[in-house]
Amino acid sequence: MLWTLALGICSALPNSIHDDHLPQFADRRQTVESLSSHLLGLIQDNLSSTTLATRDSELRQVINNNAKALNDIGKQIDSAPETRRTALVCKAGQLIYGSRAVTPQQPTYEEEKQENWSTTCWLPAACFLNVRNALEVSIALGLVVFTQTPFAVRSGGHNPSPGFGSIDQSGVLIDLGAMDSAWISADKSIASVGPGATWENIYDYVEQHQLTVAGGRAAGVGAGGLVLGGGMSHFSNHWGLVCDNVKNFEVVLANSTIVQANSKSHLDLFKALKGGGPNFGIVTRFDLHTYPDYRVWYNYKVYNTSNVKRVMQATIEVQKAMETNDKIGFFLNQGVGTLTAGLVYREWTTFPAAFRAFDGIPVLLDAIPATNGTQASFSPALYVRTRGANDQTYRFEIGALTIKPDVQLYQDLQLVLQQIVGNSNLNLGFTYQPLGAPAARQGQAKSSNAVNIRPEPQSWLALVAQWTDSADDQAARSKLRELISRIESTARSRGLLLPFQFQNDASYSQSPLRSYGADSLAHLKTVAGKYDPRQVFQKLQSSGFLVSRA
């Protein structure tokens, strides 16, 4: 979603088990005598992973040094109420992670709580467990499963839905933010990135090697949530969705097993992770294909809505051109009084002929003059502000719809927006995100994905409400849902509404997984049942787009 409110080198990818065997480790909660033994057993179970050779000794030592205190905690679990179990997990976390287990008593707690993009998600978790690698994630997940404690997982913290990457005092938050490293394979064909890395930093890193990856468009967005939701880049018609460009996922499963999911190992999980959301495990590394075309041309133009007809006609012309020219990137932000066109092209050039449809339309502001730059230089310009003047913080809510391209519909939606906003001070708008048939074909060619988009021209709408005062929560959310409903009914009445809802932009009140279609949802449920038979991610995870709720 786009709103303008505002070197290490590895010699090769880690080895994978080249079959679909799923490790079935014993339920240590029932077979071990102590919590320390349980955690040490999880480390032992994962020693076959080549990525952990230098990670286990430190954790073993910490657990052994604190074995008595950990075992005392373990003995209290069965008789403790939920709130007490949560406190015990935090206490165990402090023994294992030290100051990286942040509780309300620590001076860094408020900073941790305010890491999320929207203040709607500044929730008071019982503690934040800041983990640094897959093995530490495995131990954190082992703690919450052993104690049956509610939890949430945060990578970049960009989703504004409460409980998505946030949790209140009833549970703990496993924070992947420190897992923000990136490195390039020896042959430079793969960039491996942690889930906490943000896209502007990923681009900065790979561009040191004159490369790029298919990734997010705005700075501040984390890799983890974007990829698992499908992910849209500027050039999805060329590369497919962001998830289509993952070669391998390193995943911590519900039983704390660390596995590699790719086209040769755990293929069903590999496909499900590409757009299937947080239903199968915690991804601790994404191995992304690299590409040489990191140079891009871009221009950012603001128009008055008095020219809505001409702008929408030009938009449709650009969308038509995108079906045969996969160098075109484009989006259009729709506000009450302005229309902002983001023009992007996948090479250095002068003004591309594909955008000549905008010639002659009066421009209010050339917000970003025509520039030959890179993905790294463009993404900060699209950063969505968390704070405004005088350190004022914002609250957000989002929603997603998909419509077919149509000049008259686009014009009429401008009127719908104006009518709903009326005289209120609410900042309400949406972004047209064009996608063509080539994007769907790319996904099908690259081991397929869970998203199952139709191979036809379409616009993914990212709707957003922005406000500052929590007293306005109900009114703001009501306005956004009214906008969603009005757009749906207007498009449906003309046969221009498509069922797909883009997960990265969807509201918690929507069901993007269901919009993938019955076959895809059935596959996701099957994979979730196979890799998480005890429904850890369905029952203990705070929220998210879960298959059990689709």
Side-chain angles (χ1 to χ4, degrees):
M1 53 190 162
L2 294 175
W3 307 296
T4 58
L5 311 171
L7 173 75
I9 302 293
C10 61
S11 59
L13 290 176
N15 295 329
S16 300
I17 302 172
H18 292 289
D19 58 44
D20 283 332
H21 174 67
L22 176 63
Q24 297 289 342
F25 295 154
D27 179 5
R28 297 187 179 278
R29 178 73 170 84
Q30 302 299 323
T31 60
V32 299
E33 295 181 355
S34 67
L35 177 56
S36 66
S37 297
H38 171 72
L39 299 177
L40 290 170
L42 297 181
I43 295 174
Q44 182 64 38
D45 287 340
N46 280 306
L47 286 186
S48 62
S49 175
T50 59
T51 62
L52 305 178
T54 61
R55 307 290 190 183
D56 68 289
S57 58
E58 178 184 348
L59 270 175
R60 283 177 183 274
Q61 182 176 351
V62 168
I63 292 170
N64 281 320
N65 289 346
N66 293 283
K68 183 179 185 304
L70 288 169
N71 294 338
D72 287 344
I73 289 171
K75 292 174 184 178
Q76 301 177 56
I77 295 300
D78 288 336
S79 60
E82 182 177 287
T83 54
R84 177 59 180 160
R85 291 201 307 272
T86 302
L88 291 170
V89 170
C90 294
K91 185 176 180 180
Q94 289 180 306
L95 293 171
I96 296 169
Y97 304 112
S99 61
R100 291 184 289 116
V102 182
T103 65
Q105 291 73 41
Q106 291 169 255
T108 56
Y109 179 81
E110 284 301 313
E111 181 180 345
E112 283 282 349
K113 190 173 73 172
Q114 295 177 18
E115 183 67 26
N116 291 69
W117 171 55
S118 173
T119 63
T120 55
C121 296
W122 290 4
L123 303 184
C127 60
F128 297 86
L129 303 181
N130 289 279
V131 291
R132 299 177 299 187
N133 54 63
L135 197 55
E136 290 193 351
V137 173
S138 174
I139 294 299
L141 192 56
L143 278 175
V144 299
V145 173
F146 187 93
T147 59
Q148 291 293 286
T149 299
F151 71 97
V153 181
R154 181 173 71 191
S155 55
H158 197 260
N159 193 304
S161 297
F164 289 51
S166 56
I167 194 168
D168 62 16
Q169 63 271 17
S170 66
V172 302
L173 191 144
I174 301 173
D175 188 351
L176 310 179
M179 299 178 67
D180 60 354
S181 61
W183 63 96
I184 293 279
S185 62
D187 64 2
K188 298 189 177 182
S189 66
I190 298 294
S192 296
V193 303
T198 54
W199 290 104
E200 72 275 16
N201 292 331
I202 295 170
Y203 294 141
D204 276 339
Y205 174 72
V206 295
E207 285 179 14
Q208 295 175 28
H209 303 271
Q210 297 186 315
L211 295 168
T212 193
V213 294
R217 295 165 296 168
V221 177
L226 183 127
V227 176
L228 295 180
M232 176 180 264
S233 75
H234 285 299
F235 307 110
S236 293
N237 283 340
H238 177 66
W239 289 316
L241 299 183
V242 176
C243 67
D244 294 323
N245 295 274
V246 179
K247 183 175 183 178
N248 176 74
F249 297 89
E250 179 181 77
V251 194
V252 179
L253 302 178
N255 64 358
S256 286
T257 310
I258 302 170
V259 302
Q260 309 297 320
N262 49 60
S263 62
K264 295 181 179 179
S265 177
H266 308 301
L267 178 59
D268 54 352
L269 178 60
F270 180 55
K271 176 181 176 180
L273 287 167
K274 294 197 288 185
N279 287 286
F280 318 101
I282 301 175
V283 177
T284 51
R285 194 187 72 245
F286 300 88
D287 297 328
L288 307 174
H289 292 284
T290 61
Y291 304 104
D293 34 3
Y294 69 97
R295 297 179 176 91
V296 296
W297 174 98
Y298 50 85
N299 190 194
Y300 207 51
K301 295 182 177 294
V302 182
Y303 300 93
N304 193 292
T305 50
S306 62
N307 291 303
V308 63
K309 181 177 181 179
R310 296 178 66 184
V311 172
M312 294 311 184
Q313 287 173 335
T315 295
I316 292 294
E317 290 303 311
V318 171
Q319 285 195 251
K320 289 178 181 177
M322 292 175 77
E323 293 299 310
T324 55
N325 185 347
D326 64 6
K327 291 185 177 182
I328 299 173
F330 178 80
F331 59 88
L332 183 73
N333 288 332
Q334 173 73 76
V336 174
T338 59
L339 297 157
T340 306
L343 315 178
V344 195
Y345 206 72
R346 194 170 40 83
E347 69 178 18
W348 283 359
T349 182
T350 55
F351 199 92
F355 300 127
R356 288 300 175 191
F358 284 92
D359 283 357
I361 305 174
V363 176
L364 274 179
L365 177 66
D366 219 20
I368 302 177
T371 303
N372 280 323
T374 68
Q375 295 218 75
S377 67
F378 189 38
S379 63
L382 303 180
Y383 184 71
V384 185
R385 297 178 304 176
T386 302
R387 297 178 186 271
N390 301 318
D391 208 33
Q392 186 179 44
T393 54
Y394 294 120
R395 305 172 72 79
F396 297 93
E397 184 156 335
I398 58 177
L401 291 172
T402 301
I403 59 177
K404 297 180 181 181
D406 182 83
V407 170
Q408 191 59 54
L409 176 62
Y410 286 8
Q411 293 180 62
D412 291 346
L413 294 187
Q414 164 65 24
L415 296 176
V416 169
L417 176 62
Q418 289 178 326
Q419 291 168 1
I420 291 174
V421 172
N423 296 322
S424 73
N425 293 322
L426 176 66
N427 194 333
L428 187 66
F430 54 91
T431 300
Y432 293 90
Q433 304 173 117
L435 198 78
R441 291 194 290 266
Q442 285 291 331
Q444 293 164 358
K446 296 178 177 179
S447 301
S448 193
N449 58 45
V451 179
N452 194 31
I453 55 178
R454 295 185 182 183
E456 62 180 294
Q458 54 199 275
S459 281
W460 294 1
L461 302 188
L463 303 99
V464 60
Q466 174 188 326
W467 67 104
T468 57
D469 192 340
S470 60
D472 297 327
D473 284 2
Q474 183 175 350
R477 288 169 172 152
S478 176
K479 287 284 188 181
L480 181 65
R481 287 174 186 157
E482 183 184 357
L483 179 60
I484 293 172
S485 178
R486 286 281 301 279
I487 292 176
E488 277 184 321
S489 61
T490 302
R492 184 184 292 113
S493 68
R494 303 177 195 185
L496 298 173
L497 181 69
L498 294 174
F500 179 74
Q501 297 169 354
F502 183 33
Q503 185 178 159
N504 293 135
D505 293 335
S507 165
Y508 57 83
S509 63
Q510 297 180 297
S511 184
L513 299 182
R514 193 186 309 154
S515 80
Y516 295 176
D519 290 346
S520 184
L521 180 57
H523 172 74
L524 295 178
K525 289 183 175 181
T526 298
V527 175
K530 174 182 176 181
Y531 290 90
D532 183 13
R534 307 189 110 192
Q535 295 190 292
V536 168
F537 290 97
Q538 306 303 313
K539 294 180 177 180
L540 292 181
Q541 189 167 211
S542 172
S543 197
F545 294 114
L546 305 179
V547 294
S548 57
R549 302 176 188 175

